[in-house]
Amino acid sequence: MKAVVITTPGGPEVLQLQEVEDPQINEDEVLIKVEATALNRADTLQRQGKYPPPKGASPYPGLECSGTIEAVGKNVSRWKIGDQVCALLSGGGYAEKVAVPAGQVLPVPQGVSLKDAAALPEVACTVWSTVFMMSRLSAGETFLVHGGSSGIGTFAIQIAKHQGVKVFVTAGSEEKLAVCKDLGADVCINYKTEDFVARVKEETGGKGVDVILDSVGAPYFQKNVDSLNIDGRLFLLGFMGGAVTQVNLASLFAKRITVQAAGLRTRTLENKAEIVSEVEKNVWPAIVAGKVKPVVYKYLPLSEAAEGHRLMESSQHIGKILLVA
């Protein structure tokens, strides 16, 4: 099969489509013939040598895919050859075929094309496992998502609105904020021209929001704490702006604030299967009902993975970038 290989750690140009061995499945896995895969920030870090795949995972990038099942392991009962599915991966999505534990596979939701389904697993599992399963965001609460126009952001806006939450977003251009508003965001803040802390305070009568989802990290940490309500929860998904900061601990005490952080890729198979199951139960019906839609910025062929990475690193995109196998 063909796969996108990281020939050496470096810039987008190190990604090359090469002929490689087909993956072998074990008895608890399925083999998916890939229709499409989607880019995630983690892929760009892996390409730079900063985020190696977990032990035993595929060396090729790609944390999600959609496609058709081509083979099933002998312990797999739910899936059969020919099923159209999408899946959460530990790696290997940038390829024509990928082996996946059966517990990380989801049916393509009715109303979504096989290709576009590749845009769903990583964002759905990330947002549901963090904001809902861990931070327990619930109806009637307020939620701020930084980078509202990202893949994570565009999904988080929609599912939070569907759950009866008031949604605040930050983004860096009026075009991006307009998309967030169209997706249902209630309060849209341009972080380049506005102080998000002041605006959050103003819009909440001085209280702050209940939950914040952030991938910026260090530069936003104290500002996030200052933007939270009593019993507020800050969830850190990444630290694109830096990992080390000073914090005034008294401000955490005063508001009884919880700070949480997690990724998906390094979780155990059991833990991933549990998240995927919760997503199918809680998120898939919202997608089938048309309340949550995949937001796709661009489709590129697998051979143009480098171009996809350049686009992602320029941060011009809104929603997801897909590679079509």
Side-chain angles (χ1 to χ4, degrees):
M1 69 165 186
K2 288 189 170 66
V4 174
V5 177
I6 300 167
T7 51
T8 179
E13 69 285 346
V14 305
L15 297 175
Q16 288 181 12
L17 193 62
Q18 296 183 356
E19 196 64 43
V20 299
E21 292 285 309
D22 280 11
Q24 300 301 306
I25 57 166
N26 71 30
E27 50 204 26
D28 299 306
E29 292 181 326
V30 301
L31 185 68
I32 297 175
K33 181 180 187 300
V34 176
E35 173 80 11
T37 184
L39 270 63
N40 289 281
R41 285 274 169 192
D43 307 344
T44 64
L45 295 174
Q46 181 175 335
R47 189 200 72 224
Q48 294 164 34
K50 295 177 184 168
Y51 191 45
K55 193 172 184 299
S58 167
Y60 315 122
L63 298 176
E64 58 193 330
C65 74
S66 62
T68 307
I69 291 184
E70 214 172 64
V72 293
K74 71 169 193 290
N75 294 345
V76 178
S77 55
R78 179 176 178 186
W79 306 107
K80 59 186 191 302
I81 292 168
D83 284 348
Q84 295 201 332
V85 296
C86 55
L88 181 70
L89 313 173
S90 299
Y94 290 27
E96 291 176 331
K97 296 179 187 188
V98 66
V100 197
Q104 288 162 227
V105 178
L106 288 149
V108 171
Q110 202 180 332
V112 176
S113 71
L114 181 58
K115 189 164 63 170
D116 285 355
L120 294 169
E122 180 76 17
V123 289
C125 292
T126 296
V127 172
W128 192 260
S129 65
T130 56
V131 178
F132 295 95
M133 290 171 75
M134 289 176 74
S135 294
R136 308 214 169 278
L137 179 64
S138 47
E141 288 195 310
T142 48
F143 171 51
L144 166 62
V145 57
H146 291 298
S149 61
S150 67
I152 292 280
T154 52
F155 184 86
I157 293 165
Q158 297 179 82
I159 194 68
K161 285 305 295 177
H162 180 64
Q163 298 287 326
V165 168
K166 183 174 181 180
V167 178
F168 293 62
V169 299
T170 62
S173 76
E174 294 311 310
E175 182 200 3
K176 288 179 175 180
L177 292 170
V179 171
C180 294
K181 195 165 181 49
D182 283 348
L183 291 171
D186 299 284
V187 179
C188 301
I189 306 164
N190 186 330
Y191 67 82
K192 291 181 179 168
T193 58
E194 274 188 278
D195 171 10
F196 74 79
V197 183
R199 182 80 190 277
V200 164
K201 288 280 177 65
E202 181 194 323
E203 296 277 353
T204 57
K207 286 182 180 170
V209 293
D210 298 304
V211 175
I212 298 177
L213 184 63
D214 175 50
S215 296
V216 177
Y220 275 15
F221 193 85
Q222 190 63 53
K223 289 179 179 178
N224 281 332
V225 170
D226 296 342
S227 301
L228 282 167
N229 195 0
I230 306 285
D231 291 319
R233 291 87 80 196
L234 168 59
F235 207 105
L236 297 171
L237 270 187
F239 32 87
M240 281 163 56
V244 180
T245 187
Q246 273 191 305
V247 63
N248 174 2
L249 293 175
S251 56
L252 298 179
F253 271 82
K255 298 190 199 175
R256 299 191 296 271
I257 281 169
T258 304
V259 179
Q260 295 169 299
L264 262 182
R265 192 180 197 182
T266 53
R267 289 173 182 261
T268 63
L269 291 181
E270 294 74 23
N271 199 202
K272 285 182 185 174
E274 183 198 349
I275 290 167
V276 166
S277 169
E278 287 293 312
V279 162
E280 186 172 357
K281 204 162 55 194
N282 295 287
V283 177
W284 252 227
I287 298 172
V288 172
K291 304 294 184 192
V292 177
K293 296 182 170 77
V295 178
V296 179
Y297 183 71
K298 195 161 193 182
Y299 304 95
L300 291 164
L302 208 49
S303 57
E304 289 178 34
E307 182 51 40
H309 276 228
R310 276 186 209 100
L311 183 57
M312 175 162 265
E313 288 173 318
S314 76
S315 288
Q316 290 167 348
H317 63 292
I318 293 172
K320 300 284 281 188
I321 300 162
L322 265 50
L323 297 177
V324 183

